[in-house]
Amino acid sequence: MSSVLVIVFLPLLAAIIAGFGNRAIGNVAAKVVTTGALLIACALSWPIFITFLAGDVPTTVVPVLKWVQSGALTFDWALRVDTLTAIMLVVVTSVSALVHLYSWGYMSEDPDQPRFFAYLSLFTFAMLMLVTADNLVQMFFGWEGVGLASYLLIGFWFRKPSASAAAIKAFVVNRVGDLGFMLGIFGTFLVFQTTSIAEILEAAPAMKGASTIGFLGMQLDTMTIICLLLFVGAMGKSAQLGLHTWLPDAMEGPTPVSALIHAATMVTAGVFMVCRLSPMFEAAPAALTFVTFVGGATCFFAATVGTTQWDIKRVIAYSTCSQLGYMFFAAGVGAYGAAMFHLFTHAFFKALLFLGAGSVIHAMHHEQDMRYYGGLRKHIPITFWAMMAGTLAITGVGIYWLHAGFAGFHSKDAILEAAFASGTEMGRTAFWLGAFAALLTSFYSWRLMFLTFWGKPRWAESEHIQHAVHHGHAEPNDANPPSQEDAGHDVAHHVPSNDHEDGTAGYHPHESPWVMLVPLIVLSFGAVFAGYIFSPSFIESEAFWNGSIAFNEHLIHSMHEVPLWVKLSASIVMLIGLAIAWYAYIRNTSVPQKAAAQLGPIYRFLFNKWYFDELYNFIFVKPAFWLGRQFWQRGDVGLIDRFGPNGAAWVVEKGSVLAHKIQSGYLYSYALVMLIGLVAAISWVLV
């Protein structure tokens, strides 16, 4: 397992070379170094995963260096390799390597390519540090590392105000979650007197209901409070309801960044952490109930918003948020294997969808509004079939009786069956929320496909296409996408028609270069086959997990005994969503406009993302700015500056004027002052 050292630190070395070398080494060298490092890391990760897949492999800890020794707090920097780590190594390195390769074509016109590739590699290193952590402090190091790297990548085009604002928003919202994570780590150390993950998980079962701890002036169950605090951190990183607002705005970064964040790195960190610490959560049933509730609510919320968005990347972004909800409510009902399996399959089809969307944007001269697409399947056939594979995977297309289907069919169905089989009220609630979200997922996924690849071309009304036709050159990637606010407030849900003869405005979309298509083809295989190949090991094999997560064998047996309609529910709602999307966007295209007009308030509510941004702006942002202005204008300027440096300067100025008047230059004036001083001194002595 010494190869894990190379896997983890090679991306860091590549990031240092590309980042500090920058223009001195040039674009090509920076790309070769970073992409080569990730391809090597990926090649070394798969044998480790296959080894764990093949047999009962014990957990290995690879020491790196001595880190901290301070009183009772002592821990080393070491890399923990078990089944859970092996899965994440494959997910992170595979997707990151393909994103690096894809970026060769997508970012080819950008002048800051070395910086971009350095950030990508740094992001990958931070995530690898997180998933190989042997103690909570080391995990927190990787946790904050992915937060920093996401800030740098989301705001990569820092001259664009919306990108800078999105980066700051992601950073600030995640700090809220990270506060909970830090408090959870502090509480864990207080209770267990160690930060070693192995020691904590070994002692956790005995703590179930065994003690209480003071929190906010109340005595509450110790494990419940610790797990809830840790989960707040997961809510921030994995964009769960309440701390989700940063995720859609993260689309301001380049499309490869979106793929990396959503598929393999930052947003999966929270799910990984909950599964890694699953024995702790098993000792806190109330915390698991809360995890189930938040996951189900997030799954439902994000799916409803995704049905109304026009920006192709935002639709996929809300899809990510919804799929993360599935993972969390799976963990909440105790199906940690199903949660990790959905994380595994989701990485393939979500990276595929994002990179496919990037290929569409590249072909459409960086137009991101789906209302200005249409009829693209004949022009970019490879991208079309790749996105078709991703859509079939995310919607869960499969045949139950053959136990054959695309990736999402195996992982999403397992989650719904586990939620129903849990037998708890919250588990059943999560099942119904998840089933309805699956219907909406099918609807908005096929809506995306139909608007993009079917129908007549609607390119003529796109400002980006008009710019391409009139000026005959491309703008740098999606650095200037259409404003979602400007494009989206068309409440009529109207898909524009074209006055031009063929609707193309004389523009001819082009397929992406092969350096962008190869990652799509590779990911398509994962979207098609990953579920079928790995389902038995992830879902049912306790030997495969080998103690790396809490495994509920009783729940697995209960999943086999659920009614047939439960097993078929995901496929049924998938077909319903497909039928609605086909009828509304292929058969009778006037339906969306009429429906949006009739459901005006509901449509606006969903399109504006349940008004979370407006609510947070009113409750938190505006008061914070008002308070800041008070401290600045009245506190800093009006009080501190007035009576501090400005006041001292005023005293010196006035004193110098008085001293100037006294300094007359006449001898008798000085003699008088000396006499007065002498009399005053004698008087003081006598008194």
Side-chain angles (χ1 to χ4, degrees):
M1 292 297 179
S2 59
S3 60
V4 73
L5 289 169
V6 178
I7 295 171
V8 172
F9 290 104
L10 197 58
L12 175 62
L13 179 61
I16 293 172
I17 294 173
F20 287 100
N22 207 291
R23 290 187 173 87
I25 64 173
N27 293 343
V28 175
K31 292 188 286 189
V32 168
V33 168
T34 53
T35 307
L38 262 299
L39 289 173
I40 293 172
C42 178
L44 294 174
S45 297
W46 275 97
I48 295 176
F49 173 67
I50 293 171
T51 301
F52 279 95
L53 195 66
D56 186 8
V57 181
T59 299
T60 304
V61 177
V62 181
V64 178
L65 52 83
K66 294 287 183 182
W67 199 0
V68 170
Q69 186 170 359
S70 177
L73 179 63
T74 176
F75 51 85
D76 299 334
W77 195 338
L79 307 180
R80 178 184 179 88
V81 184
D82 57 10
T83 304
L84 194 59
T85 305
I87 293 168
M88 293 304 296
L89 288 179
V90 164
V91 168
V92 174
T93 58
S94 298
V95 174
S96 183
L98 293 172
V99 167
H100 274 73
L101 182 61
Y102 179 93
S103 299
W104 279 54
Y106 196 85
M107 301 296 290
S108 60
E109 299 172 6
D110 197 280
D112 295 318
Q113 293 178 57
R115 178 167 63 90
F116 178 78
F117 281 86
Y119 288 169
L120 282 184
S121 294
L122 179 64
F123 201 176
T124 306
F125 163 72
M127 190 64 188
L128 291 172
M129 282 304 310
L130 192 157
V131 301
T132 58
D134 187 48
N135 58 74
L136 291 179
V137 181
Q138 188 176 330
M139 182 182 288
F140 187 72
F141 172 83
W143 194 271
E144 293 302 294
V146 295
L148 169 65
S150 68
Y151 170 79
L152 296 173
L153 284 169
I154 294 170
F156 177 74
W157 286 312
F158 56 86
R159 294 181 181 88
K160 181 183 173 188
S162 58
S164 296
I168 294 172
K169 185 176 183 179
F171 198 79
V172 171
V173 173
N174 273 275
R175 297 291 72 71
V176 177
D178 292 351
L179 174 61
F181 190 46
M182 285 190 289
L183 292 175
I185 293 175
F186 297 155
T188 303
F189 178 72
L190 179 66
V191 172
F192 294 96
Q193 291 298 299
T194 181
T195 62
S196 170
I197 291 175
E199 295 176 14
I200 292 169
L201 299 187
E202 183 179 359
M207 289 298 298
K208 183 176 182 179
S211 65
T212 60
I213 190 172
F215 185 74
L216 298 178
M218 299 176 285
Q219 287 295 125
L220 302 171
D221 180 67
T222 299
M223 293 305 297
T224 299
I225 292 302
I226 291 176
C227 290
L228 285 176
L229 290 172
L230 292 171
F231 180 63
V232 170
M235 288 176 65
K237 275 290 180 288
S238 295
Q240 293 300 284
L241 188 64
L243 295 178
H244 68 280
T245 53
W246 67 270
L247 192 64
D249 289 358
M251 298 302 97
E252 294 292 342
T255 298
V257 173
S258 303
L260 191 58
I261 290 177
H262 286 245
T265 53
M266 188 166 171
V267 298
T268 62
V271 179
F272 167 80
M273 185 266 286
V274 171
C275 292
R276 168 64 81 199
L277 303 180
S278 54
M280 291 182 65
F281 282 85
E282 286 294 305
L288 282 179
T289 301
F290 183 71
V291 173
T292 306
F293 167 75
V294 171
T298 304
C299 176
F300 171 78
F301 153 76
T304 62
V305 176
T307 60
T308 63
Q309 302 302 300
W310 292 115
D311 187 309
I312 187 172
K313 288 173 65 178
R314 285 180 183 265
V315 173
I316 304 174
Y318 278 106
S319 167
T320 299
C321 193
S322 182
Q323 299 305 308
L324 289 166
Y326 278 105
M327 299 175 206
F328 275 113
F329 80 68
V333 300
Y336 302 101
M340 285 304 302
F341 188 39
H342 198 51
L343 185 154
F344 182 79
T345 59
H346 176 263
F348 290 105
F349 62 70
K350 187 48 59 70
L352 175 60
L353 287 171
F354 263 116
L355 297 184
S359 184
V360 171
I361 295 168
H362 184 270
M364 292 301 289
H365 193 68
H366 324 301
E367 175 63 75
Q368 293 181 209
D369 194 322
M370 296 185 297
R371 289 175 294 185
Y372 305 120
Y373 290 167
L376 288 176
R377 69 184 188 279
K378 297 178 181 178
H379 298 272
I380 46 175
I382 299 177
T383 299
F384 162 69
W385 285 111
M387 290 201 70
M388 177 62 76
T391 301
L392 293 171
I394 193 173
T395 57
V397 174
I399 302 174
Y400 167 73
W401 290 275
L402 298 179
H403 195 65
F406 292 82
F409 167 76
H410 296 274
S411 56
K412 189 189 294 184
D413 284 27
I415 289 175
L416 292 176
E417 291 173 18
F420 189 90
S422 66
T424 64
E425 183 177 349
M426 188 56 68
R428 294 290 173 88
T429 302
F431 165 79
W432 288 111
L433 289 173
F436 186 67
L439 187 154
L440 298 180
T441 300
S442 178
F443 170 75
Y444 66 65
S445 297
W446 289 111
R447 170 179 177 262
L448 183 152
M449 292 296 291
F450 292 148
L451 283 173
T452 302
F453 296 105
W454 271 271
K456 295 181 179 180
R458 302 180 298 275
W459 317 334
E461 296 188 17
S462 167
E463 293 182 5
H464 290 256
I465 300 299
Q466 293 288 354
H467 184 276
V469 173
H470 294 154
H471 298 277
H473 63 84
E475 300 168 5
N477 301 309
D478 48 356
N480 294 294
S483 169
Q484 176 73 357
E485 288 71 23
D486 294 340
H489 286 296
D490 179 4
V491 178
H493 203 85
H494 177 57
V495 177
S497 59
N498 284 291
D499 297 329
H500 299 76
E501 183 177 349
D502 59 357
T504 63
Y507 184 76
H508 302 286
H510 51 87
E511 188 65 274
S512 299
W514 278 104
V515 75
M516 294 172 62
L517 296 178
V518 168
L520 296 182
I521 295 171
V522 174
L523 289 168
S524 296
F525 280 96
V528 174
F529 299 110
Y532 179 78
I533 295 173
F534 300 109
S535 175
S537 298
F538 276 82
I539 304 298
E540 300 183 0
S541 176
E542 185 174 5
F544 168 68
W545 291 108
N546 196 23
S548 59
I549 61 172
F551 190 85
N552 189 337
E553 190 172 353
H554 174 72
L555 180 63
I556 300 301
H557 290 307
S558 299
M559 289 169 60
H560 292 301
E561 297 172 0
V562 298
L564 180 62
W565 68 266
V566 174
K567 297 177 181 293
L568 297 177
S569 59
S571 296
I572 293 171
V573 296
M574 179 274 297
L575 292 173
I576 295 173
L578 168 60
I580 296 172
W582 175 83
Y583 184 77
Y585 293 97
I586 298 295
R587 181 70 177 84
N588 187 356
T589 56
S590 65
V591 168
Q593 184 178 357
K594 294 177 181 178
Q598 292 177 354
L599 303 173
I602 297 176
Y603 176 78
R604 286 191 294 271
F605 179 73
L606 297 180
F607 181 82
N608 288 286
K609 302 155 285 189
W610 292 26
Y611 291 102
F612 268 101
D613 285 313
E614 290 79 1
L615 182 65
Y616 285 0
N617 186 58
F618 178 76
I619 296 176
F620 299 115
V621 178
K622 287 186 176 179
F625 274 100
W626 177 86
L627 188 62
R629 283 193 296 269
Q630 298 306 308
F631 278 116
W632 166 44
Q633 294 177 346
R634 298 192 178 186
D636 192 15
V637 177
L639 184 64
I640 297 175
D641 285 352
R642 180 179 180 184
F643 296 104
N646 292 344
W650 181 86
V651 170
V652 171
E653 180 186 5
K654 298 302 181 182
S656 64
V657 172
L658 178 61
H660 172 70
K661 292 180 179 179
I662 294 175
Q663 296 290 336
S664 63
Y666 295 109
L667 183 60
Y668 57 78
S669 296
Y670 298 154
L672 177 61
V673 172
M674 293 174 62
L675 179 61
I676 293 173
L678 181 61
V679 170
I682 295 173
S683 300
W684 182 80
V685 171
L686 293 176
V687 172

